[in-house]
Amino acid sequence: MTTAHPIHESYSGLKPIRGGTVSMDSIIKHYGSFTAVDGVSLSVGRGEFVALLGPSGSGKTTLLMMIAGFEQPDSGAVCIDGVDVSRMPAHRRDVGMVFQKYALFPHMTILDNVAFPLRMRGVPAGERRLKALDALQIVGLEGMEKRLPAQLSGGQQQRVALARAIVYRPPVLLMDEPLGALDKKLRERMQIEIKHLQESLGVTVIYVTHDQEEALTMADRIAVMNRGRLEQVGTPAELYERPANPFVAGFIGETNLLDGELVAAAGQEWELRLAGGAVVRGTPAAAARHGAAVGARVRLAVRPERIELAPATPGGTGAMVAATVADVIYAGPTLIYLLRADGLPEMTVRVPVQSDAMKPARGEAVSLTWDPANALVY
Ligand SMILES: Nc1ncnc2c1ncn2[C@@H]1O[C@H](COP(=O)(O)OP(=O)(O)OP(=O)(O)O)[C@@H](O)[C@H]1O
Ligand SMILES: [Mg+2]
């Protein structure tokens, strides 16, 4: 079903691609009265891998289509390698494109599918064949060139689509949920293979996904989209450790979002009273929140793996939240605790199975505590 060796071993002799820069400047796109992309500016460096991550309908595909040239922005500009391509037709922009549905021609052989973009560019037949075979080798599909798409597995068809996108060595590769149709195991393997391929070739990649794990695994930087806007752009670690707002905190990884009121806001450790009455500590999410006044409504974001469970303390004093274990779920390496606390939404805590941490049973009363540095106040 799969090939004998991973693709990153097969292109050692290949000439690298010179990755292109892509810059988007204040791009706006309306469909009728609806704003699909609402003022996006983003610069992608040579050979960089940037993931566009966001929920369904947030404008990811629309933005990608404007980079590819299949859609025109109403205003703003797209530059590739410093050249404004906003009004240039798709076939004249040097970008490769991989879609979620492989979109192979069903009656063409694999070789002809891969060679198709070269034919469109008027490359002579002999050279087409060599380049297509080369691209098939890069994605680990040598020997399959005579087959038809229906005679390949889903993962293999997606590799064909990838080979077709890189066959003319574009400096920029755009991918729109290319692994969406594959099962989890194969998807995870392809993620690593695409990442290796991108690094070895040096091609610039803009990769659309709504799967945050995929973005975290693959991308140098992630651009989080929501309702046509960029919420935050940063490295996976920046987004995970310092989400700019509760939306990003909730979208990248899991988080517990708790409403409260500021009790004391001096220095790096703020005190707040949660909806249930517990007084806890956290860190201001932005360095300069000078406007924050005692009494202000705030939200606290704390990750499930950064909360510690402790025995219940009568009276519940001192930066702890009294809670009851509503459920315990065994999830392989971690135990997931669902906890109920007065006045608060259900909270999630993750405890490694292999740890000395407290592992209470369902129905037990516990205290929740955390290092204030791991709880961000918005
Ligand atoms: N041709 C169109 N005509 C009208 N509305 C459109 C058109 N294309 C997209 N939209 C709307 O623009 C918004 C953004 O769509 P887009 O396809 O960019 O979202 P997306 O982030 O790629 O979502 P998904 O993860 O579901 O693919 C959606 O609300 C969609 O309905
Ligand atoms: Mg889409």
Side-chain angles (χ1 to χ4, degrees), residues 31 34-37 54-63 71 100 176-177 208 210:
Y31 290 115
F34 178 78
T35 309
V37 173
S56 186
S58 56
K60 306 180 295 294
T61 296
T62 306
L63 187 59
E71 291 279 4
Q100 172 168 6
D176 194 353
E177 312 241 7
V208 165
H210 62 254

Side-chain angles (χ1 to χ4, degrees), residues 15-363:
K15 271 183 289 160
I17 293 172
R18 182 176 155 79
T21 61
V22 179
S23 73
M24 293 154 250
D25 184 21
S26 313
I27 294 186
I28 294 177
K29 176 71 181 175
H30 301 282
Y31 290 115
S33 61
F34 178 78
T35 309
V37 173
D38 192 6
V40 167
S41 296
L42 176 65
S43 287
V44 179
R46 238 176 255 297
E48 194 180 17
F49 192 122
V50 169
L52 293 179
L53 175 69
S56 186
S58 56
K60 306 180 295 294
T61 296
T62 306
L63 187 59
L64 209 67
M65 288 299 156
M66 289 188 283
I67 303 169
F70 298 121
E71 291 279 4
Q72 305 301 319
D74 293 327
S75 65
V78 178
C79 293
I80 297 178
D81 271 337
V83 177
D84 188 338
V85 296
S86 308
R87 304 283 157 230
M88 192 186 279
H91 67 271
R92 291 194 44 224
R93 303 184 189 189
D94 235 355
V95 299
M97 182 90 205
V98 182
F99 302 92
Q100 172 168 6
K101 303 275 165 51
Y102 328 121
L104 303 178
F105 299 108
H107 303 297
M108 276 189 202
T109 63
I110 298 307
L111 187 81
D112 288 343
N113 263 285
V114 174
F116 186 76
L118 300 174
R119 208 166 93 195
M120 296 313 286
R121 286 169 169 75
V123 176
E127 186 182 340
R128 269 195 330 249
R129 183 182 158 77
L130 288 178
K131 286 191 163 159
L133 287 172
D134 197 33
L136 280 170
Q137 201 211 339
I138 291 176
V139 300
L141 288 181
E142 57 269 68
M144 309 246 177
E145 61 271 10
K146 294 206 179 91
R147 294 199 199 176
L148 294 173
Q151 295 168 318
L152 298 184
S153 73
Q156 290 167 334
Q157 291 187 48
Q158 194 50 277
R159 286 163 203 249
V160 175
L162 192 56
R164 184 179 56 186
I166 59 171
V167 73
Y168 53 99
R169 332 271 312 147
V172 176
L173 194 52
L174 307 177
M175 302 201 206
D176 194 353
E177 312 241 7
L179 307 180
L182 306 181
D183 66 51
K184 186 169 154 61
K185 263 262 150 50
L186 185 56
R187 199 162 70 223
E188 285 172 357
R189 206 178 112 203
M190 290 289 292
Q191 284 169 6
I192 293 166
E193 294 194 358
I194 290 175
K195 179 68 185 161
H196 281 154
L197 179 64
Q198 177 263 336
E199 283 172 348
S200 307
L201 291 177
V203 61
T204 304
V205 169
I206 302 178
Y207 188 104
V208 165
T209 179
H210 62 254
D211 177 348
Q212 47 107 2
E213 262 179 61
E214 184 160 283
L216 289 170
T217 309
M218 300 182 82
D220 299 318
R221 282 190 304 152
I222 300 173
V224 181
M225 282 192 82
N226 185 28
R227 298 163 186 245
R229 291 172 177 270
L230 285 185
E231 294 275 0
Q232 188 175 6
V233 183
T235 64
E238 280 164 2
L239 265 58
Y240 194 80
E241 298 297 336
R242 288 275 137 193
N245 53 50
F247 176 84
V248 176
F251 204 73
I252 307 274
E254 284 175 285
T255 205
N256 294 289
L257 288 172
L258 307 172
D259 289 327
E261 180 190 313
L262 218 47
V263 173
Q268 274 306 295
E269 257 187 43
W270 288 5
E271 240 178 33
L272 50 148
R273 182 176 295 109
L274 296 180
V279 175
V280 299
R281 283 195 278 271
T283 306
R289 278 279 162 97
H290 295 304
V294 168
R297 310 290 313 158
V298 290
R299 299 193 96 181
L300 185 84
V302 55
R303 303 257 182 226
E305 75 279 13
R306 309 264 163 106
I307 299 180
E308 284 164 43
L309 299 178
T313 46
T317 51
M320 286 198 169
V321 178
T324 310
V325 177
D327 217 338
V328 190
I329 299 158
Y330 179 82
T334 56
L335 291 171
I336 302 172
Y337 281 91
L338 302 180
L339 297 134
R340 294 232 173 85
D342 275 351
L344 297 175
E346 188 171 73
M347 295 175 69
T348 305
V349 176
R350 282 179 177 269
V351 177
V353 170
Q354 299 273 335
S355 78
D356 302 333
M358 180 188 182
K359 297 181 192 104
R362 189 193 297 194

